[in-house]
Amino acid sequence: MSLRRPRSLKWSLVLRIAMLQCVMLTLIIVGILGVMLATGIIPHNYEDGTMDVLADAVTRDVNGALVLKENSDLTKLRSDVPDLWFIIRDKDGHRLQEGAVPAKFLPFVGLLDTISDARIDPAIGKASPPGGKIRWSDTAAGKVQIMSGTKGDLSMLRLIGQAPQFFLQGILPLAGLMALATLFATPWVVRGALSGLGKAARAAGQIEIDQRGVQLPLDGVPKEVTPLVDAVNAALSRLDAGYARHKRFLTDAAHELRTPVAILNTRLAALPATPERARLLQDAARLSTLADQLLDLQRLDRQAEHFGPVDLVAIARNVVVDLAPMAFAAGYEMSFEPASEKLIVRGDRTAIERAVTNLVQNAIDHGGKAGRITVSVRPPVAIEVQDEGDGVPTSERERIFEPFYRLHRQDHGAGLGLNLVRDLMQLHGGKVEVLDGKDGGACFRMIFPAAPAA
């Protein structure tokens, strides 16, 4: 099942506001027209009722003469206006006349060739509507000139029929202009309204696993989004509390484990030297190492600002000296190859020493119980631990750093050692990688960032 892409708040607002503006504009205009119709303002002032009916009815017969086609509007007009009169003519000289032209309009009949559109009434500037009108209209018979009185009413059907054209030519352009203004204004409004949410999002993106007590800021966050930010802050608080409980459990468990392991080692050391005693001592040593690794997990919370200059050559040399007897007892040779007398980096001496120790112990456990284990300090800033065992398959070189991962089913696993090495190197801003050894086996390389110049 594919996830739906999140919708843009900006474009959702633009679309909805534009649609709302269009609907509101239409309702306002329709409401105004409705009020004008209900109060009689439009019918009282409308002066083209007669001409509209005549323009709809005029057509031509088979000989091309102008005739009126009877329809309901024309029948109603004749009924409402008993003294109906009009003159309809075209440019070709065809003429259709009905009723008696009032005497006051007769002088204009002879001037129709010189008049395009006119409102005619003796009361100049006062008549609304005027007594008569002259206009050219597009009809089924072509373009014709109509002269008539103005006693006809507004046709509701005609008004409704003009609604689509009115919408396209009047409402839609206005709505388009308003939508265009909305398009430019909405992003600015959205950015301003959600600026506080952007700060909270940036703060959330900077949260790291080793940070405790972090809360997202509420300054400037819209009221509608505040419950979400509060819920995230509450979740962060619960995670902090759970992490603290987990940390206390690991610390307590490691301390409780060290005492019985020390007692076990003491009792095993008192037994007669036999192969079984050697195997038991080896198993007890693994238990002791695991307890130390659990305590090392708790020391990972140290911040980088507490780091100081340390010498990688001195650290590696100390580890080789400490673990050489264990390597010799397990059947290995031990070699130390520094490329220089000193190699300074910024870090925590105890943490780096633990990481190198874990890699050497890993080589002792998985190096095949034969060959040489070589610890090297190489430029620019790296420590390598190489054995001559079976090596690590390429497909497994990432997974072996997972806690308690077993490379082979019969293996007792690396415990937390390699996982701690990776975490310690990340804490120091470096990394650990697995390569093929030059004489076979595996080569674990710890790469540190170069120390800044003094």
Side-chain angles (χ1 to χ4, degrees):
M1 183 179 67
S2 60
L3 297 177
R4 294 179 58 185
R5 294 181 58 186
R7 293 187 300 174
S8 168
L9 176 61
K10 179 182 73 174
W11 291 112
S12 295
L13 287 176
V14 168
L15 178 61
R16 294 182 184 185
I17 292 175
M19 293 177 61
L20 179 62
Q21 289 172 341
C22 186
V23 171
M24 291 301 298
L25 189 61
T26 302
L27 292 177
I28 290 172
I29 295 177
V30 170
I32 293 174
L33 291 176
V35 171
M36 295 176 70
L37 288 171
T39 56
I41 295 176
I42 291 181
H44 178 71
N45 293 322
Y46 190 67
E47 54 193 48
D48 288 337
T50 300
M51 287 193 168
D52 290 344
V53 173
L54 295 175
D56 287 344
V58 67
T59 184
R60 295 184 185 274
D61 60 13
V62 293
N63 297 320
L66 297 173
V67 295
L68 291 180
K69 182 179 179 181
E70 198 68 29
N71 56 38
S72 58
D73 288 340
L74 183 58
T75 301
K76 184 176 184 303
L77 178 63
R78 294 184 190 279
S79 173
D80 294 342
V81 186
D83 55 345
L84 177 66
W85 65 272
F86 60 84
I87 298 174
I88 303 175
R89 57 195 292 270
D90 62 15
K91 296 179 181 180
D92 297 328
H94 298 94
R95 184 185 181 99
L96 176 63
Q97 181 172 349
E98 182 176 321
V101 179
K104 58 185 177 181
F105 298 135
L106 285 175
F108 298 96
V109 176
L111 301 174
L112 289 178
D113 290 339
T114 60
I115 299 175
S116 176
D117 295 291
R119 301 170 78 249
I120 309 170
D121 198 277
I124 299 176
K126 294 182 180 180
S128 182
K133 285 195 69 175
I134 301 172
R135 83 176 190 196
W136 284 90
S137 301
D138 291 319
T139 68
K143 199 170 186 66
V144 298
Q145 187 182 42
I146 302 175
M147 178 180 179
S148 71
T150 59
K151 294 182 179 180
D153 295 328
L154 175 65
S155 171
M156 291 296 104
L157 291 177
R158 174 178 292 277
L159 182 62
I160 294 172
Q162 294 297 320
Q165 184 177 359
F166 175 69
F167 177 81
L168 292 175
Q169 297 181 354
I171 296 177
L172 198 58
L174 288 175
L177 289 175
M178 296 172 68
L180 190 62
T182 302
L183 177 64
F184 287 101
T186 300
W188 176 74
V189 173
V190 170
R191 280 196 299 269
L194 300 183
S195 59
L197 187 59
K199 294 178 183 177
R202 288 190 293 272
Q206 295 173 356
I207 296 176
E208 298 293 342
I209 191 171
D210 57 348
Q211 292 178 320
R212 301 290 172 265
V214 178
Q215 295 283 279
L216 302 184
L218 285 170
D219 295 340
V221 175
K223 181 174 65 176
E224 293 78 5
V225 188
T226 299
L228 175 61
V229 179
D230 287 337
V232 173
N233 284 337
L236 290 173
S237 298
R238 292 194 297 272
L239 289 174
D240 286 343
Y243 179 83
R245 290 193 300 270
H246 173 71
K247 181 179 177 181
R248 286 194 301 271
F249 170 78
L250 288 179
T251 303
D252 294 343
H255 281 295
E256 291 295 328
L257 185 61
R258 296 183 76 176
T259 300
V261 169
I263 296 173
L264 179 61
N265 281 324
T266 302
R267 292 178 177 176
L268 290 175
L271 294 176
T274 64
E276 289 77 9
R277 173 179 173 274
R279 286 193 295 270
L280 289 173
L281 284 172
Q282 187 177 10
D283 292 337
R286 278 200 291 269
L287 282 174
S288 179
T289 299
L290 179 60
D292 291 337
Q293 290 172 348
L294 288 173
L295 289 174
D296 287 337
L297 280 175
Q298 313 314 311
R299 288 194 283 265
L300 283 178
D301 285 337
R302 290 189 180 182
Q303 299 299 315
E305 56 263 25
H306 298 146
F307 289 172
V310 294
D311 183 7
L312 295 184
V313 175
I315 291 175
R317 181 183 292 111
N318 290 341
V319 172
V320 171
V321 171
D322 290 340
L323 296 185
M326 183 185 299
F328 296 152
Y332 297 97
E333 297 179 12
M334 196 79 175
S335 175
F336 177 54
E337 299 178 357
S340 60
E341 293 185 2
K342 280 188 177 182
L343 188 55
I344 304 299
V345 298
R346 284 188 59 81
D348 180 84
R349 179 184 181 87
T350 303
I352 297 175
E353 188 169 319
R354 168 55 66 184
V356 180
T357 299
N358 286 346
L359 291 183
V360 175
Q361 287 178 333
N362 181 73
I364 293 173
D365 290 339
H366 303 283
K369 305 302 180 182
R372 181 189 302 270
I373 296 176
T374 304
V375 179
S376 307
V377 182
R378 300 186 179 278
V381 193
I383 296 177
E384 292 182 356
V385 177
Q386 180 175 328
D387 61 54
E388 297 178 359
D390 295 332
V392 180
T394 305
S395 60
E396 303 288 336
R397 290 181 181 178
E398 289 295 328
R399 301 184 64 189
I400 60 173
F401 293 100
E402 298 175 6
F404 303 104
Y405 180 73
R406 294 174 181 267
L407 184 60
H408 303 293
R409 184 172 299 179
Q410 67 273 17
D411 260 347
H412 53 71
L416 294 170
L418 296 182
N419 177 256
L420 277 170
V421 174
R422 182 183 63 183
D423 291 347
L424 287 169
M425 291 307 299
Q426 290 176 350
L427 181 65
H428 285 77
K431 64 178 181 178
V432 60
E433 59 186 12
V434 187
L435 308 171
D436 290 326
K438 60 182 179 180
D439 296 321
C443 176
F444 287 80
R445 178 181 293 165
M446 299 166 56
I447 303 174
F448 295 82

